[in-house]
């Protein structure tokens, strides 16, 4: 199990939180997603044998946010 915290820019409201948590949380291999809106951080727990970090980042960017 891997744990990572990503800096995600562009999130500004509850809808943003739901968009990121919902889209990433649906990915196979992702166990937990927690958005810290005030800090612009996303904590993710995932199984790296099922999904890559690049795929997770791509999913966040597909929602319209920037992973820095």
């Amino acid at each position: 199990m891997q744990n990572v915290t990503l800096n995600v820019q562009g999130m500004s409201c509850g809808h943003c939180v739901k968009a990121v948590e919902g889209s990433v949380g649906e990915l196979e291999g992702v166990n937990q997603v927690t958005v810290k809106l005030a800090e612009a951080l996303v904590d993710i727990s995932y199984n790296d044998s099922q999904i890559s970090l690049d795929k997770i980042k791509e999913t966040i960017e597909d929602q319209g946010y920037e992973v820095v």
Side-chain angles (χ1 to χ4, degrees):
M1 197 63 55
Q2 297 291 320
N3 294 302
V4 67
T5 299
L6 301 176
N7 184 330
V8 179
Q9 298 299 305
M11 300 183 299
S12 61
C13 63
H15 172 76
C16 301
V17 173
K18 288 181 182 179
V20 172
E21 288 182 347
S23 63
V24 175
E26 290 178 357
L27 296 171
E28 185 173 341
V30 173
N31 293 337
Q32 185 174 0
V33 183
T34 305
V35 173
K36 297 177 182 172
L37 187 59
E39 294 92 355
L41 299 175
V42 180
D43 294 329
I44 304 165
S45 174
Y46 68 101
N47 185 333
D48 62 348
S49 67
Q50 291 181 287
I51 190 165
S52 69
L53 182 56
D54 286 339
K55 177 62 178 170
I56 293 170
K57 290 179 180 179
E58 179 183 312
T59 300
I60 293 171
E61 290 172 347
D62 286 348
Q63 294 299 311
Y65 307 105
E66 181 183 3
V67 179
V68 293

